Structures are given as structure tokens and as C-alpha cells.
Amino acid sequence: MLRLNREKNNVSTFIKKECANYNIGYNCDGVMINRKLHQWIDKEYANKKCKVVEGNKCSYYDLCLKPLQGSF
């Protein structure tokens, strides 16, 4: 049986499919990473609604995901 993807191609769908911090309901795990691959939990992001989906900036998204996506 062939299953078709019926989700629209937008930022929310991209976050859901590609972001390592994504949790059900667009909640963020808050794990940040810098260019030297150092990781930490950012309390400003952890267990809160995804900032990108809400239209705000996210350093993890800008550094790790935006280059994969192209420009929206």
C-alpha cells in the first residue's frame, strides 16, 4: 500500500521532521550546539514552544537547520 505525505511543505513541517530538539507539540528540548560542537541545555528554550514556529529566532535552527533547508 502506497502512503502519501499529505503534510504541507513549510517551516513547521521541516522543524517536525529535521530538528533534533523537536518534541511532540513543537516543544523544544533546548539542546544548543556551537560551531566547536560544544553542547548545553538552554533554559530559555527547554520545554517551551518552538521559537521558530512562533516566528522568533533560534540559534540552533540558524546554525544547524537553516543551511539544510535553503531560505524560507
Side-chain angles (χ1 to χ4, degrees):
M1 180 176 175
L2 179 64
R3 289 188 91 194
L4 299 175
N5 183 2
R6 304 229 185 255
E7 291 183 304
K8 291 183 180 179
N9 232 356
N10 58 28
V11 174
S12 297
T13 303
F14 182 75
I15 295 289
K16 183 176 170 182
K17 290 180 179 178
E18 301 295 335
C19 185
N21 282 320
Y22 171 80
N23 239 328
I24 295 172
Y26 294 99
N27 288 325
C28 182
D29 284 338
V31 179
M32 297 297 158
I33 188 169
N34 66 15
R35 294 188 188 277
K36 294 183 179 182
L37 302 179
H38 295 129
Q39 297 179 0
W40 69 96
I41 302 289
D42 190 330
K43 292 179 183 175
E44 186 179 320
Y45 292 84
N47 299 318
K48 296 184 180 152
K49 193 78 167 174
C50 175
K51 294 197 181 266
V52 176
V53 171
E54 291 182 335
N56 299 314
K57 299 273 292 170
C58 171
S59 58
Y60 178 83
Y61 173 81
D62 290 342
L63 180 67
C64 300
L65 297 175
K66 207 171 197 177
L68 296 175
Q69 180 186 27
S71 58
F72 251 96

